[in-house]
Amino acid sequence: MMYRIIGDVTMVTHFLFLAYAMLGGFLAWRWPRTIILHVLCVAWAVGLTVLNMLGVAWHCPLTYVENWARRRAGEEGLPDAGFIDHYLTGVIYPDQYLGLARAVLLGCVIVSWIGFVMIRRRRRSLVAAR
């Protein structure tokens, strides 16, 4: 039972990581110091995506933890394709829209970073005007 809980908690953590990688830049509009963590998360996600696109089988450590816990619980681990292919591709969006899903994610990140820079500039100009 404990291993199944570990597997489930790891799966939820993985989803939260992906949500933060997609939307964390918007949180930085309110809490600017979080932008550093967001940049690191995006770099990690993009790096893993690029490596996998190049055929390098490198998985997120959360994938390894979930596989370990699920197998110890007597369940199947994630397929070799990994977390995203198992839980998202073909489930949340059709396989043929993987590129579009990646583009939407990247678009959210870019918009959030542009907004972050604009907000920071506006705040600095307001402080300088005082």
Side-chain angles (χ1 to χ4, degrees), residues 11-30:
M11 175 191 59
V12 169
T13 303
H14 218 151
F15 275 116
L16 291 173
F17 174 85
L18 291 174
Y20 183 72
M22 183 174 185
L23 303 171
F26 295 107
L27 293 175
W29 293 10
R30 173 67 177 95

Side-chain angles (χ1 to χ4, degrees), residues 7-68:
D8 290 345
V9 167
T10 305
M11 175 191 59
V12 169
T13 303
H14 218 151
F15 275 116
L16 291 173
F17 174 85
L18 291 174
Y20 183 72
M22 183 174 185
L23 303 171
F26 295 107
L27 293 175
W29 293 10
R30 173 67 177 95
W31 297 287
R33 291 182 183 178
T34 64
I35 195 68
I36 295 167
L37 178 60
H38 186 252
V39 168
L40 293 173
C41 288
V42 170
W44 177 262
V46 169
L48 282 179
T49 300
V50 169
L51 285 174
N52 285 323
M53 289 171 67
L54 294 174
V56 178
W58 189 298
H59 295 289
C60 175
L62 291 170
T63 301
Y64 291 112
V65 172
E66 184 176 350
N67 278 337
W68 170 82

